Amino acid sequence: MSEVQKEFQNAVAIMVKLEDKFIELVKTSNTDVAFKNELLYASQAMLNNDYLCKVALSNSLSLRNAFSQVAACGLTLNPARGFAYLVPRDGQVILDVSYRGMIKAAVNDAAIKDCIVELVYANDEFVYRGKRQSPTHTFNPFDKKADRGEFVGAFVEALLPDGRVHVEAVTAEEIYVAREASELWKRKRKGPWVDFFAAMAKKSAIKIARKYWPQSGPKLDELIQYLNTNGGEGFASHDVPLAVVERVIGANDEVEPVEPLPTSNQEEAASEPSPAAQPAEVDPEPERADPPAAEPAADSAPAADPEPQAVEGEVMPAKEPEPKPAELPEKVVKKVAELVRRASAQGCWAAAKEYVSTWPEEARQYALQQLKAGEYLAASEGE
């Protein structure tokens, strides 16, 4: 058996182990995707993309998360439907959802009955008639993009459950800001925003429009949250105006300014295929190794008595919070706390440690201490 065949079988085996969880997610999420069918579509995707298979094995946690998202959102991987795809992106496997898939999720959630999203160019004839009446949009669909002129925006026309029409006009400036705020575009200047601009612009327009639909279902919101975080389409930069963030993703909480974490497997970039050898992307929960055996918080510390384990019904005393060094400013302490939270959520401890490696000595030592403690806690709790 060749190495490629072994990798394929191992990647499929990861998904096979998810059968019980997948079926349970389908029940709790009230979706109708079938495990065996989705396993077949996912296997076909890996069979046709060796790089996807390699990423799935090097980052199996992201594969499990992406495949579980299929059950949760109810969007099939059937390539003939074009709703969702498993794709390798930035060292992870993610469930990439097309704008058609987002519309399908909204319809399944009864947020809308139907939806049209169109891009508008300068040479098109476009007449906006308000939010409750369909606009007039006239253009030759066979014209080349250059003949249609500069991209000026998009509109999303949704048929609401009560029969009314809702039209949301989105300017090109808003879509460009959404692109600039995307962590994937900001760091790489490549990917789906380059290869599939029209599709990404439509997705951004739907993200904006859905905030104005009277009934916005939870599945669509959860799907957008997944795309904004794991998919790299979200707003990781604190340089983006809050009003823009609120319009696109509905965020209302001010986020402590923390620079983006390096994404998964970044520290292993040297071992990955060169960009030229990697297939093009189609449209960050990195792999976390199995929890290591418990280690003391500091390498040089003597072995201590094991901490008492909680017994059901017993209330364990809360641990005293780790005191911060007196010389560290509060801003650094908050930044470290946010770093630990994000590393814990994404499982990217090695990337987080690499991220702080260039910090000043005192801040670096404090950050590494907190990261090690957080990693130990996460390993103790398990996945």
Side-chain angles (χ1 to χ4, degrees):
M1 182 181 296
S2 69
E3 187 65 27
V4 172
Q5 289 175 321
K6 290 180 181 178
E7 290 178 346
F8 171 74
Q9 290 187 354
N10 290 337
V12 172
I14 293 172
M15 294 183 290
V16 169
K17 293 179 181 178
L18 291 174
E19 181 173 7
D20 292 341
K21 178 181 177 182
F22 189 99
I23 294 174
E24 182 62 27
L25 271 173
V26 167
K27 291 179 180 178
T28 57
S29 303
N30 195 28
T31 56
D32 59 359
V33 288
F35 173 78
K36 290 184 178 179
N37 291 343
E38 301 312 315
L39 179 63
L40 175 62
Y41 299 139
S43 300
Q44 289 174 342
M46 292 195 180
L47 193 60
N48 295 327
N49 190 333
D50 292 343
Y51 182 58
L52 171 62
C53 199
K54 290 180 181 295
V55 173
L57 289 178
S58 65
N59 197 337
S60 61
L61 180 58
S62 69
L63 172 62
R64 294 195 293 270
N65 286 339
F67 194 59
S68 297
Q69 281 292 327
V70 176
C73 69
L75 296 178
T76 179
L77 294 172
N78 186 346
R81 304 297 299 276
F83 291 152
Y85 312 88
L86 292 180
V87 300
R89 182 172 296 166
D90 215 14
Q92 302 177 78
V93 177
I94 71 159
L95 180 70
D96 196 11
V97 179
S98 68
Y99 74 90
R100 290 185 294 272
M102 295 178 68
I103 294 173
K104 176 65 173 173
V107 171
N108 288 348
D109 248 3
I112 59 175
K113 287 185 175 181
D114 195 9
C115 183
I116 296 173
V117 54
E118 290 283 357
L119 303 187
V120 182
Y121 296 84
N123 295 338
D124 297 352
E125 293 183 11
F126 181 79
V127 179
Y128 178 68
R129 302 180 184 278
K131 292 182 180 291
R132 295 303 180 195
Q133 189 174 351
S134 300
T136 299
H137 184 207
T138 305
F139 65 95
N140 185 348
F142 303 109
D143 280 345
K144 295 180 181 180
K145 287 185 178 179
D147 295 334
R148 292 181 64 185
E150 181 184 359
F151 171 65
V152 295
F155 72 93
V156 181
E157 180 178 342
L159 178 61
L160 302 179
D162 61 6
R164 292 181 300 163
V165 168
H166 180 92
V167 178
E168 193 64 35
V170 182
T171 67
E173 287 76 13
E174 289 177 296
I175 289 176
Y176 289 144
V177 168
R179 181 183 66 179
E180 289 297 328
S182 166
E183 186 60 24
L184 185 65
W185 166 265
K186 183 178 179 181
R187 288 188 298 103
K188 299 284 188 176
R189 283 298 193 272
K190 66 178 184 179
W193 273 110
V194 174
D195 301 324
F196 308 99
F197 173 81
M200 293 299 294
K202 290 180 178 181
K203 287 172 69 172
S204 295
I206 293 173
K207 287 180 183 181
I208 290 175
R210 78 83 164 77
K211 299 304 296 181
Y212 301 94
W213 297 340
Q215 301 177 28
S216 185
K219 289 188 183 65
L220 180 59
D221 286 340
E222 290 166 4
L223 187 59
I224 290 175
Q225 175 66 17
Y226 173 82
L227 293 173
N228 285 340
T229 53
N230 297 59
E233 297 178 10
F235 291 80
S237 170
H238 58 275
D239 299 326
V240 181
L242 183 59
V244 173
V245 178
E246 289 177 343
R247 177 155 165 81
V248 178
I249 63 174
N252 295 317
D253 298 327
E254 185 176 356
V255 179
E256 180 70 20
V258 176
E259 296 178 22
L261 277 176
T263 51
S264 66
N265 295 340
Q266 197 168 33
E267 65 277 7
E268 300 175 3
S271 63
E272 291 189 354
S274 65
Q278 298 178 7
E281 296 170 339
V282 177
D283 209 46
E285 193 126 285
E287 166 64 14
R288 183 176 65 195
D290 291 335
E295 297 178 0
D299 295 337
S300 59
D305 294 334
E307 295 185 1
Q309 299 297 313
V311 179
E312 185 175 358
E314 178 184 4
V315 178
M316 299 296 292
K319 292 183 179 180
E320 291 293 328
E322 184 74 20
K324 76 177 183 69
E327 62 275 10
L328 286 182
E330 190 66 24
K331 181 178 180 181
V332 172
V333 175
K334 289 182 178 180
K335 188 170 184 176
V336 170
E338 174 66 9
L339 188 66
V340 172
R341 184 192 68 77
R342 294 179 63 184
S344 178
Q346 300 179 7
C348 49
W349 299 104
K353 292 173 184 176
E354 177 67 22
Y355 173 66
V356 303
S357 62
T358 58
W359 287 15
E361 176 68 20
E362 293 177 352
R364 181 172 71 252
Q365 292 301 326
Y366 175 71
L368 290 173
Q369 180 186 35
Q370 296 300 307
L371 286 168
K372 188 170 184 179
E375 183 179 13
Y376 173 73
L377 178 61
S380 300
E381 293 175 347
E383 294 184 2

